[in-house]
Amino acid sequence: MLLATLPLRAEPRPLHDAEREAVGIAAAFLDKGPEALWARLAKDAPLRRLGKEEALAELAVRAGPREEATWTLRTSEGNRDAAFQVTWPSGYADGLLFRMQREGGRWALAEVVTLAEVPDRPKGASPAPRPPVPRALVVVAALFLVIGLVLRLSNRPNKRPIKRPVKRARHQMLSTIMLATGAALVAVAAFPFLHHREKTSPPLLELRALLPLRTALARGADGRIPAGVSAPVQNVATLWVLESGATAMLNLASAGPSPLAELVRARLALDAGDEEGAWRAFARAAAVKPVRDDVLHEAAFSLNGDHAKEALARMRALGSRDAEVYYGDGSYEALRTAWLLEPRPRAELVRDDLLTDLRARSLVSYYSALEPVRRSQRLSTRPLDWPTATRAFVTGEHLRVEIANAALEVPNGAELAPRDAQVVPATHGARRRDAAALRDAQELLEKHGTAPRTRLVRAVTALARHHRWTDVLALTGENAVTDLIVLRMRALLHTGKIDEARALAETDAIRNLHDPAARLAIGEALGNAGQWNAAEALFRSVDDPQQAELVALRLRRLALRRALATTAQLMATEHFAIRYDTSINPAVVSRIGELLEAELARLRRMFPPVELRRVAVNVLRWEEFRGDITQSDHILGLYDGEILFPFAAVAQFKPEVVAVITHELTHAILAQATADNAPRWFQEGVATRMELVDGQENAFRTTAPAVVLPVALLDAVMEKNSDPEAYVVAQTFIRFLEDTQGPQIIARLTTELARGTGTDDALTKLTGKSLDAINTDFRQWGFHHNGDFMSSEPWPYARFYSPEVDPRIKAGFKLRRDR
């Protein structure tokens, strides 16, 4: 069992002195290369026996290239070792263990051990100190030798005749015995001292022949294992190649029990769907001493259920400084620990359902206009002597130091920061990682080569986040790894490649997805695209009892949509194909068509020119719409690629009904005009703004500006719980933009989003301000603009007006929200 060896602990461990010194050594390496490691080697370090030039080569291959590398201090048991996780832009990574020992009042570097080796030397020194020579034994040996020598000298023959030959023979024998015993005692006393190094210090595994391979893998190139190396060195090379993401069939049988060998075995087991086998391999990796949390992290976030919980519990018991361990706990105390350790952007916390009570929201300054900046109380209290020309950033207790084009990250290391370190919000790191992933994705697109799995997942995820669906398809290919299957499916549907999406849905890669929510989401997308059979097969493949009710709803919705598409009546206008059941009065459907065309003509003045493709519109009875589609009394319209209205019982139309038609029509226009790139807050804010009603609510009318939902959280809140407050704020924000930037701001933003520009970047480009600054201006504007927004536009549809609206629909207007 993984939990058998460590006591429970709930807080991240502080850095111990050996780790602090190791961080300084790592920083020196990133600045000056292997020479810096050589300078800090202990006097009796095994590498010193190689000579300087060969030792430098050995240090270079073990540490790997420093260019563009990111070194992250991890948590390991004990107080003498320092574990680092090293990653390169290619996605290739390794774990290094700095074995430290005390020498002359300070810590020196004894060894650098890679994750492909078993760190079996005695902790803290390599080799261990020679044992002392036993003094008592030496004294006794000396006494025997002296007595034997005296007897031998006193018994030497002379010219006198021998009077007592028997006595002389006895003395001769006794002196021989005494001398032999003394010599034997000297040998016994000296043996452990003379033979200690040979017995207790395993031979150093020399890896410098692998330097070209290590360099190639770090750069993302194909590396070849050199010929003629020993079997142990070849085992390390094999593991490095497999770690890089290569799919070559290499022999793992002789790779031994190193942590990396077991991690590779665990990954192969997971790819084969053998989670129990993966768990056993992870457990073996975690049993290698010293235990380190990067090994446990992979187990915790690769497995499911009890196995994942056990690995997370082991990380907490170790005192891991990995904030993700505490974010996943679910309690407020763990959230506080994680937030103080390394804050995450508030939008991420909302999406992960971590801000569900007042304490949690207060902790992260939920309503602040700006992303909060948490300053550590321990900032720079024990600063290291960092290399010159470095840049340091601190987020909570997390320290990042950029040295040349490399970086060193120290979780819980704010105390080591230089005094000129910049304290930054969580979004600073998120933007940096996103920009780096996009740069790497562009490089992969230009090279048209293969890439390690980790690198590919990071790049494709960033492309999808920026709606670059064509590029997602270019990088994923037909044999996309499991992590990318969902993104490839989304890309196929976004780019209209319906046949390919259907073919992908019928593969084992989709049917065997571990996450039932992902299968449901893909099935719904396929159903919306008219792929009924593929969608139904995916829905029925979900056998999770907790999802049974949702599966039943999806199947009912699918059946309704299939019936509308295949058996319903169709009424076509210039831009709309309206489907309806034969029991619905065609006059109602005709009136809906007229209103859609009239509102389309009005709305087009607010958007850039777009050639609108024909939009499917489904007119339903309230029972069908509420029971099979939304299961909500407060949703009166829906757009999910098609428009759905519950207006079968409306004979004529009043402004509130037309507003729903306008709202969903706006969604359809924006989806086509932006290639479906518009964020949800923009979609909902503009759609509400376009409604022809007498007045609309101002978010500042009843809410103080200081507690109006920040713009940066709008999308996350809408995606998570459809909070009506978020919809009011989104519409108010659109009014603010029109008032401060001019009425064409909606069209200009639509154009930028159509180009693939991210929301934050589009707002910054068009206003010249950051999102935080825009949100601050928004609140200042709200102090002076807190009345409801009244319409001066005349109502053009008086001939359609009638109070004859289904009373259940009428009641829904009070709390209407759309999805």
Side-chain angles (χ1 to χ4, degrees), residues 572-577 593 597 600 604 611-615:
T573 69
E574 182 179 357
H575 299 98
F576 303 95
E597 292 290 354
L600 175 61
R604 276 183 159 171
E611 188 62 37
L612 195 69
R613 298 186 301 276
R614 187 177 295 273
V615 178

Side-chain angles (χ1 to χ4, degrees), residues 466 757-766:
H466 290 266
T757 308
T759 313
D760 293 2
D761 292 338
L763 285 169
T764 298
K765 178 179 180 180
L766 296 179

Side-chain angles (χ1 to χ4, degrees), residues 342-348 371 395 400 409 424-438 462 465-466 760:
E342 186 179 0
R344 282 173 55 187
R346 292 173 297 173
E348 291 184 13
E371 192 73 22
T395 307
R400 175 183 170 87
E409 297 192 346
V424 296
T427 48
H428 177 273
R431 285 193 295 266
R432 173 184 52 76
R433 290 188 292 271
D434 184 62
L438 285 176
R465 194 162 48 243
H466 290 266
D760 293 2

Side-chain angles (χ1 to χ4, degrees), residues 93-112:
D94 197 3
L96 300 183
L97 188 68
F98 278 16
R99 312 224 72 170
M100 308 292 288
Q101 71 180 51
R102 296 288 294 181
E103 185 176 84
R106 66 179 300 186
W107 288 94
L109 180 62
E111 287 185 279
V112 179

Side-chain angles (χ1 to χ4, degrees), residues 398-413:
H398 187 94
L399 169 65
R400 175 183 170 87
V401 180
E402 296 177 355
I403 305 169
N405 63 348
L408 176 58
E409 297 192 346
V410 188
N412 211 22

Side-chain angles (χ1 to χ4, degrees), residues 336-351:
R336 184 178 184 277
T337 296
W339 173 259
L340 297 179
L341 189 62
E342 186 179 0
R344 282 173 55 187
R346 292 173 297 173
E348 291 184 13
L349 299 178
V350 170
R351 289 187 171 95

Side-chain angles (χ1 to χ4, degrees), residues 133-134 137-138 141-142 145 179-195:
V133 176
L137 195 59
V138 171
L145 289 172
L179 289 171
T181 303
L185 291 174
V186 168
V188 170
F191 185 84
F193 179 81
L194 294 174
H195 294 272

Side-chain angles (χ1 to χ4, degrees), residues 697-710:
E697 186 179 351
N698 185 336
F700 297 103
R701 179 171 65 86
T702 58
T703 306
V707 290
V708 167
L709 195 65

